[in-house]
Amino acid sequence: MLFKTRGIVLKVTDFAESSVVAKIYTEKFGLQTYLINGVKKPKAKIHLNMLQPLHLLELVVYHKPNGTMQRIKDARTFPLLLHIPYDIVKSSIAIFLNEMIYKSIKQQHEDEVMFEFIAKGVELLDQSAEGVSNFHLLFLARLTRFLGFYPDLSASDRGRFFDLKDGVFVQHQPPHVYFVETDFKEAWLQLFESRIDDFAVLKLNNHARKTLLAKLIDFYSFHIEDFGAVKSHEILEEVLS
């Protein structure tokens, strides 16, 4: 059957001479794998440049329940990203967030609320005229709500450290190295208590930004099964420094 759905491009892998396999997070079906033929041909109906990281699509798809590989009948870019593909800072943030989202989303069922959050986040990043150097931190902090491991902040007034493994504030330093130190407690709290569109007013120096990013990646790795190593954050840190 044919269905209309919105999609967010997460990963594209070459398949044969002119085709690709695309992992696309869809509004209607969750994460799906699509075989797209002929994208590298000059007159392709679906062009390869439409399948860049975090590009937003409107799709008409063939969908078989429990199918491992689906097909796309038609696709168009909407809304068109005007700045992310051409701005080195925004494109670096997009590539990093793309990797984090891809490693985080496992399900093949719909979650329209999470889809809307991610899609609106991409649009916000693209359209913002203000400094976006802290955007990825707030985005990842807010995304934990939808992924199911938003931290327990109730003991933040009493706890001096944040235990990344248990996701709670504790009074005494944990017996391992995976925690947020007292010096960064307030900034860590601010990430999770702020709205995503507050990224421009969040004041962090390069050291704090780098530290908080490392803590967020650790936090994700503890709470998402088979999360694996993150590679793109090193390029992002270089661009933002």
Side-chain angles (χ1 to χ4, degrees):
M1 292 183 64
L2 283 172
F3 298 89
K4 290 183 178 180
T5 183
R6 293 189 294 164
I8 302 169
V9 180
L10 296 182
K11 186 177 183 180
V12 175
T13 306
D14 287 336
F15 185 86
E17 185 175 345
S18 62
S19 304
V20 297
V21 172
K23 292 279 191 177
I24 299 178
Y25 183 53
T26 68
E27 183 176 28
K28 190 177 290 290
F29 305 111
L31 183 64
Q32 294 292 322
T33 303
Y34 293 98
L35 175 61
I36 311 175
N37 294 319
V39 296
K40 300 176 185 177
K41 294 180 178 179
K43 296 183 179 180
K45 191 174 183 180
I46 301 174
H47 294 279
L48 191 59
N49 61 8
M50 296 169 61
L51 304 175
Q52 300 304 308
L54 295 189
H55 276 218
L56 307 174
L57 304 175
E58 286 190 342
L59 303 167
V60 179
V61 301
Y62 298 97
H63 184 79
K64 295 181 180 179
N66 302 317
T68 57
M69 188 92 73
Q70 311 287 357
R71 287 187 176 270
I72 297 175
K73 182 178 186 296
D74 196 15
R76 74 181 186 110
T77 304
F78 185 84
L80 182 66
L81 300 182
L82 300 177
H83 303 287
I84 287 176
Y86 313 106
D87 183 303
I88 183 63
V89 174
K90 290 185 177 182
S91 63
S92 298
I93 291 174
I95 290 170
F96 168 69
L97 290 179
N98 180 87
E99 182 181 7
M100 293 292 290
I101 293 167
Y102 180 69
K103 289 177 176 293
S104 301
I105 295 176
K106 313 290 186 181
Q107 72 270 25
Q108 289 185 318
H109 59 80
E110 76 281 359
D111 187 336
E112 293 183 3
V113 177
M114 181 162 69
F115 180 93
E116 188 69 17
F117 169 78
I118 296 173
K120 289 298 184 186
V122 174
E123 290 185 60
L124 180 61
L125 174 62
D126 186 64
Q127 296 169 4
S128 177
E130 302 177 278
V132 295
S133 57
N134 296 321
F135 178 88
H136 56 298
L137 301 177
L138 281 177
F139 181 94
L140 291 177
R142 304 306 295 179
L143 184 60
T144 61
R145 283 190 178 274
F146 306 95
L147 295 172
F149 58 97
Y150 185 80
D152 182 357
L153 306 178
S154 60
S156 60
D157 57 335
R158 302 184 303 277
R160 297 168 54 233
F161 304 91
F162 182 81
D163 188 320
L164 294 167
K165 285 186 173 182
D166 293 336
V168 296
F169 279 94
V170 293
Q171 180 60 31
H172 303 289
Q173 182 173 313
H176 52 75
V177 298
Y178 301 105
F179 61 88
V180 176
E181 298 86 347
T182 304
D183 290 348
F184 296 101
K185 171 187 170 180
E186 292 305 318
W188 181 260
L189 263 176
Q190 195 173 3
L191 289 184
F192 289 92
E193 293 179 336
S194 299
R195 300 178 306 173
I196 189 172
D197 50 3
D198 286 337
F199 63 88
V201 299
L202 184 64
K203 303 300 180 185
L204 297 172
N205 58 36
N206 285 336
H207 176 61
R209 186 182 301 113
K210 185 176 180 178
T211 300
L212 291 171
L213 178 57
K215 301 299 183 184
L216 277 168
I217 293 173
D218 283 343
F219 191 43
Y220 270 66
S221 67
F222 281 122
H223 295 277
I224 295 175
E225 187 176 359
D226 299 324
F227 188 74
V230 177
K231 301 176 182 179
S232 57
H233 70 290
E234 295 178 358
I235 296 174
L236 175 60
E237 288 173 354
E238 186 123 346
V239 170
L240 294 178
S241 62

